[in-house]
Structure formats: structure tokens, C-alpha cells
Amino acid sequence: MTTVSLLAAATAAAPTRLDPLQLFRDADIVVQIVIVGLVLASIWVWAIIVSFSLRMGKVSRRSAAFEREFLLAKEPETLLEGRRRQDVPSARVAAAGLSELQHSTGAGGRVADREGTRSRVALAMEGQVATEADSLAERLNFLATTGSVAPFVGLFGTVWGIMNSFFQIGEQQNSSLAVVAPGISEALFATAIGLFAAIPAVIAYNRFSHRVNAFEARMQRFADRVHAQISRELEGQ
């Protein structure tokens, strides 16, 4: 067989594009473990992104509807009873304020210390606002952790793969690109998977954190309106 024929056969046998599955199968066991871990983290990141988006949209719509009804309701307690079993953060904020008002009201419905009652009602609603915001942001910690850690985990897999490539050079006494390139490709694949997991996590964390902060500010404004309404009722007593 001539040299031209050998080159033609080698060219025909060479892959024309990267095959992620083949890179994974050919990788070292340590690199494979790193890749599997990063893929699972990426799947969980996207699950959080989808579930949080759906929940945030539902919570925002329910809270907006409740706030409009509550501020116009003649009997807020009756409206709250219908919202207790639903996921409505604004309803829980208002319930915290009204509950504190009931505890501060004597048996005759009179309030002995109006200023103290106002302060306690405000503190109760502020605490509930913080609790609701913390509950919404609870799962975002995984996005922050993945966004900061995943690139380094992928880099660990890359370093390990490159070390293995240099070991193969020593074993085969051959430093040609044909010996080094496959191991380096498999190693760099781990870094690519790390970035694939980290980039959506960072973007989603920043976006969702902004939405949680905006929703917390909105709940605080609603709490202020409820507090003002309660203060007017106390002044009328």
C-alpha cells in the first residue's frame, strides 16, 4: 500500500466532529466521575430554574390579587380565611399583623397602648416578610454553589486528565500529538461540562435574586399599607 493510500485511509477513519459520548467512554474513571457529577448538577439546576419560575409566577399573581381584594375588603378576616390554605405570601403577612392586633386587644376590644400595638404589629409583619423572602430564596443557594464550584470541579477533571496524558507519554516513550491529543480532549471535556453547569446557574441566580428582592420590597409596601389601615382603626377607638 502506498503512502497516499495510507493517508487516505487514516483520513477516512478519523472522526469529522467531536462525539461527547465517545469522549466520556474513553475518559479516565476519575474524569468520568467528575463529568457524571457535573451533569447531575446541571440537571438539578435546570429543574430549579423551571420550578422556581413557575412558582414565582403563581405566587406573584395570587399575591397581587389578594392585595387588591384585601385593601378593599370590609371584613379582612373573612378574606384571610379563604387564603390560609393557598400559597399566598401577602396573606400570611396580613395574617401576622391581624393576629398581633388581636393579641394586643383586650377582652372588650379596646387597646390600652396604641403606640406599643402599632410597633408590635409592624414588627410582626416585617418578620413575616423576611420569612417569606427566605422561603422563596431557599433553593437559590444551590444555584449560587453550582455557579461558583462547577468550573473548579471541571478544572479538577481537566488537570487529572492531562496528568494521565503525560503518564501515557512516559509509558509509551512517545510525545507525538496522536498520543497526547485524545487524553487532552477528554480532559477539556470536563471543563466544558463544568461551564455548561455553571453559566446557567449564575445567570439564573442573579435573575431570581433580583425577583425575590423585588417581591420582598412589594410585600413590605403592602405591609406598610396594612399597618396604616390598622393605625387608622386604632385612632378611631
Side-chain angles (χ1 to χ4, degrees):
M1 183 177 291
T2 64
T3 304
V4 175
S5 300
L6 290 173
L7 290 174
T11 303
T16 58
R17 60 182 177 84
L18 287 176
D19 185 353
L21 293 178
Q22 188 62 40
L23 288 174
F24 175 77
R25 286 193 293 264
D26 295 339
D28 183 79
I29 182 62
V30 175
V31 180
Q32 288 181 345
I33 292 174
V34 169
I35 292 174
V36 169
L38 291 172
V39 169
L40 293 177
S42 180
I43 293 173
W44 187 241
V45 163
W46 282 104
I48 292 175
I49 290 173
V50 173
S51 63
F52 185 88
S53 298
L54 295 175
R55 185 190 178 193
M56 201 68 194
K58 180 177 65 176
V59 164
S60 297
R61 289 190 298 271
R62 288 181 176 178
S63 294
F66 171 80
E67 291 169 13
R68 289 192 299 268
E69 295 176 12
F70 182 85
L71 294 175
L72 298 175
K74 295 181 178 180
E75 296 182 357
E77 292 81 2
T78 304
L79 181 62
L80 282 174
E81 287 297 329
R83 297 293 195 278
R84 291 187 184 277
R85 297 182 180 181
Q86 298 181 6
D87 187 13
V88 185
S90 295
R92 290 190 285 269
V93 171
L98 294 179
S99 177
E100 181 58 39
L101 178 62
Q102 291 176 356
H103 291 153
S104 299
T105 303
R110 304 290 297 179
V111 178
D113 184 6
R114 290 186 176 87
E115 291 301 323
T117 300
R118 288 191 184 97
S119 298
R120 288 191 293 271
V121 169
L123 288 174
M125 289 192 291
E126 287 176 3
Q128 189 63 38
V129 167
T131 299
E132 297 297 333
D134 291 341
S135 176
L136 287 172
E138 183 178 6
R139 299 180 68 184
L140 300 185
N141 292 331
F142 184 82
L143 297 180
T145 302
T146 302
S148 59
V149 173
F152 294 100
V153 175
L155 183 60
F156 168 75
T158 297
V159 171
W160 185 274
I162 292 175
M163 290 170 56
N164 187 53
S165 296
F166 281 112
F167 176 77
Q168 295 297 328
I169 290 174
E171 284 289 311
Q172 300 182 24
Q173 298 295 319
N174 186 354
S175 60
S176 65
L177 189 60
V179 175
V180 180
I184 294 178
S185 298
E186 298 156 9
L188 293 176
F189 183 56
T191 297
I193 296 297
L195 294 175
F196 179 77
I199 292 174
V202 172
I203 295 174
Y205 176 77
N206 292 333
R207 175 60 180 166
F208 291 158
S209 295
H210 175 74
R211 291 186 65 180
V212 170
N213 292 336
F215 188 72
E216 182 179 8
R218 173 178 158 182
M219 285 192 296
Q220 187 59 55
R221 290 191 296 269
F222 172 69
D224 292 340
R225 290 194 292 269
V226 174
H227 184 261
Q229 186 172 328
I230 292 174
S231 296
R232 285 193 297 270
E233 293 177 0
L234 292 175
E235 290 174 358
Q237 294 183 359

